[in-house]
Each structure stands twice: as C-alpha cells, then as structure tokens.
Amino acid sequence: MSRQLLLVLSGGGALGAYECGVYRTLWRAFDHRVIRSMLIVGASSGAINALLIARHCQDPDGGVGVLKRFWRSLASPPLPFFPVPHPYWRRMNSTLTGLLFGNAAVFQRVPGGALGACAAYPLAAPYRLDPLLVTLQRWAGAYRSDADSPRVVIRALDAEAAEPRWYDSAREAIEPEVVVGSSSIPLVFPPFWHNGRALWDGDVWIRGLLTEALGDLMTEPSRLPGRIVSVELMASRRAMPIGIPQTLLHLRDMMLGGRHDKDGSFSALADRDIRLTRIQRRPHPYEEVSSALFDWGPDRIEALMEQGERDAEAALASSELQEAPERDEARSEQ
C-alpha cells in the first residue's frame, strides 16, 4: 500500500483561511517527506491553497509561513457603517465593505455590473477576479510537479460544456489562470478564460471533490493513497433558518456541505485499507451576517486560521484514538 497522503481542499471564499490553519497542523503531524510527496486535490479557494502549498512546500517550514502571510495580505479592514462595538455589527460591516467595494487583492466591483448581468451575463457581471490573478502571479506563478514535489489536481467547470475539467500538475503546468477560473462563482463573476475555455468555480459541481478523486484513483490500485485528509469548509447544519440571510446560508450549506455527508465513497475506504480523516469546519458566531465571499475582516481571517489549526489537531487525535483498538486487536490475533 502506498504511503502517499491525499489532501482534499474544498472551496469557500475567505473561509480558505481555515485551510491555512489545517495545513500548519499537518506539517507538524506528518513526516515532512510525506507532505512533500503528497497529492493535493482542490477547487476554488482550495485550489488557491493547493497551488501555494505545492509551490512553497520545499521551504524549510513547508510553506506554512508563506501561506499565513498570503491570507493575512488578503484581509480588508471594514468600514464603520454601523459604529457599534459588537461582534454582530463587525461582521455586518465587513460583509458590507466587501459587497460594496470589493477586495483590492481578490476581486473588484463593476459599477452597474449587477444590473447588466440580469440581461447580459456572462458579458456583464457584478464583480471581476482580475486582482486575484495578479495576486497569484506574485505569490505563486505556474506550477509543474516532479517526482520529489506534491502533485496538484485542480477541478474547474467548463462553462460551455457544463462538465468538470481537471488540471493535473503531473501532466501540465497549472497556471494562475486555471486557479482563478476554478474560483469564478457563476453569476457573481464572469467565466475566466484559459486556452480557449471559459472556466467556472470547480466547487459548485454536484459531486464532491473526494468522490471524483477516488473514482479516478481506484481505477489504478497502485496509485491509491494510504491516508486521506479531507477538509470540508461548508458542513450542513440542522437548524431552522430565520430570515433571508440565514435561509440563503442554509441553502448554500445544503447544496455544498451536504455532498460530503452523502458521499458513498467513504464506505469503500476501509475495504482498501485507506485511513480517512475528515476535518469539518463548524459555523462561527454571527455567521448569518458574515458572507464567505465578502467578509475579509482581519479578525475573521485570524479566527479562521486558528480554528483550522485547532480542528485539525482534534480530528487527527480522534482518528488516532479510533485506530488504536484496531491496532491492538490486530496484534492479539498475531
């Protein structure tokens, strides 16, 4: 059985900062040779993190410092629309700041774009991701893997063909344009063009990343990983929403987070001796007014990184505890 690690990074706008904290824990927990030879599958903000991790994992700290500085550079202080010293209004201020003015390092607002999109999308859209392209070119650039570096597989959606398009660093250089395309949320951003293809967000597909990654890997048993770490940013919640903002958030979680809980691939892993650790982000306080796309407040970015680090530590510890009885039972049988 291969000892390769498979890291699956889902998307979620600013929630991608959570994956930064997760990676910091993984770097401490795993053999560094395993990290530097792992397979990373990502989409949307998960694709951004995958590119940065792979590009910098040969650094002495495995790229942990670069990833942390990157996410901090995306933080955008909120304007005081509601000058009330309460966390609820801080989240509201951050969301309104992104909604009305964009984020200089990630996306820009197009004046009149929302109205134009109603009649002419994708020729017109409320926002554009051109700043993200410039940011990724500066922090990462193109990436092509070799035998001694992580392999990166990015999913985007071909807007015209209405089907997934996979980009594999073992076969071609993954360019920043691909990652930006994998982050282009339909109706919010126009498709991002790369080599004649119009690309949409790779995380809005009906099937989760892990499902399709395993489906491909299981066709070649020699490529199966020995360990999988799945980072899920949008876990479905069981609660009755109140009001339009909560209902929209609930619908988003139902459509995206629910894919993981219904993933039939999980049951097949034990039969193939593959260890799975799921790291599932839980909503933070006042998330009903904190948009994953528009809330880039510095305090929220920091909180997400810390939450990811803590959750990863807990998930890995829990995984080891669950596997310990199995190891003991195996020894007794011998």
Side-chain angles (χ1 to χ4, degrees):
M1 175 63 69
S2 169
R3 294 184 63 250
Q4 187 180 45
L5 170 67
L6 168 59
L7 177 60
V8 182
L9 300 175
S10 63
L15 301 179
Y18 178 93
E19 294 172 337
C20 171
V22 169
Y23 178 65
R24 184 179 180 184
T25 293
L26 298 182
W27 176 253
R28 294 197 305 263
F30 287 93
D31 186 310
H32 294 172
R33 291 170 297 180
V34 173
I35 294 289
R36 288 176 168 139
S37 63
M38 65 181 169
L39 167 61
I40 314 174
V41 177
S44 196
S45 57
I48 294 173
N49 284 323
L51 178 64
L52 284 162
I53 290 170
R55 189 72 175 78
H56 294 281
C57 79
Q58 300 299 334
D59 295 354
D61 67 348
V64 170
V66 167
L67 199 61
K68 196 169 186 177
R69 292 194 298 274
F70 171 81
W71 281 100
R72 283 176 172 170
S73 76
L74 304 187
S76 179
L79 296 173
F81 296 98
F82 300 97
V84 180
H86 188 278
Y88 178 93
W89 296 108
R90 284 204 302 271
R91 300 278 59 81
M92 178 68 80
N93 286 338
S94 290
T95 295
L96 288 176
T97 299
L99 179 68
L100 297 177
F101 300 100
N103 181 313
V106 185
F107 63 97
Q108 64 189 57
R109 180 173 174 268
V110 178
L115 183 61
C118 293
Y121 183 84
L123 299 178
Y127 303 92
R128 297 189 63 85
L129 282 171
D130 301 80
L132 179 59
L133 177 61
V134 175
T135 298
L136 290 178
Q137 288 172 336
R138 183 172 69 251
W139 283 85
Y143 176 76
R144 178 77 182 261
S145 57
D146 56 35
D148 299 318
S149 61
R151 176 184 171 192
V152 175
V153 179
I154 301 299
R155 184 175 72 183
L157 298 184
D158 187 318
E160 185 176 4
E163 62 184 16
R165 166 76 176 171
W166 293 89
Y167 295 85
D168 188 339
S169 68
R171 301 189 181 101
E172 59 186 318
I174 293 187
E175 300 175 350
E177 288 85 352
V178 168
V179 177
V180 175
S182 180
S183 305
S184 299
I185 302 172
L187 300 181
V188 179
F189 306 111
F192 207 88
W193 289 84
H194 175 69
N195 289 344
R197 293 180 183 272
L199 302 179
W200 267 337
D201 191 324
D203 205 38
V204 298
W205 188 238
I206 55 177
R207 302 184 71 194
L209 282 170
L210 181 56
T211 305
E212 295 198 332
L214 285 176
D216 178 58
L217 291 171
M218 284 182 177
T219 62
E220 300 181 44
S222 62
R223 294 171 56 206
L224 283 174
R227 181 72 177 261
I228 298 174
V229 175
S230 174
V231 186
E232 302 161 14
L233 297 180
M234 295 182 181
S236 57
R237 294 175 295 171
R238 295 169 176 84
M240 178 62 70
I242 299 174
I244 291 178
Q246 288 191 24
T247 301
L248 291 175
L249 184 67
H250 195 64
L251 289 172
R252 181 201 69 180
D253 291 346
M254 287 169 58
M255 290 184 289
L256 299 183
R259 296 174 306 179
H260 303 294
D261 297 327
K262 299 177 178 62
D263 199 326
S265 302
F266 296 144
S267 59
L269 298 181
D271 296 337
R272 295 178 179 268
D273 194 27
I274 300 174
R275 299 165 62 187
L276 170 66
T277 300
R278 298 176 67 188
I279 303 173
Q280 300 171 291
R281 188 192 71 88
R282 296 305 175 193
H284 57 76
Y286 311 108
E287 187 154 321
E288 68 272 14
V289 292
S290 177
S291 166
L293 177 59
F294 298 115
D295 183 355
W296 296 83
D299 58 329
R300 185 181 188 232
I301 295 296
E302 292 293 332
L304 285 165
M305 290 192 291
E306 293 171 4
Q307 182 188 16
E309 190 170 354
R310 291 194 309 270
D311 288 356
E313 290 173 351
L316 291 175
S318 175
S319 179
E320 290 299 325
L321 287 173
Q322 291 172 6
E323 291 160 3
E326 297 176 5
R327 291 195 293 267
D328 293 341
E329 182 179 345
R331 292 194 194 99
S332 65
E333 290 176 354
Q334 293 174 356

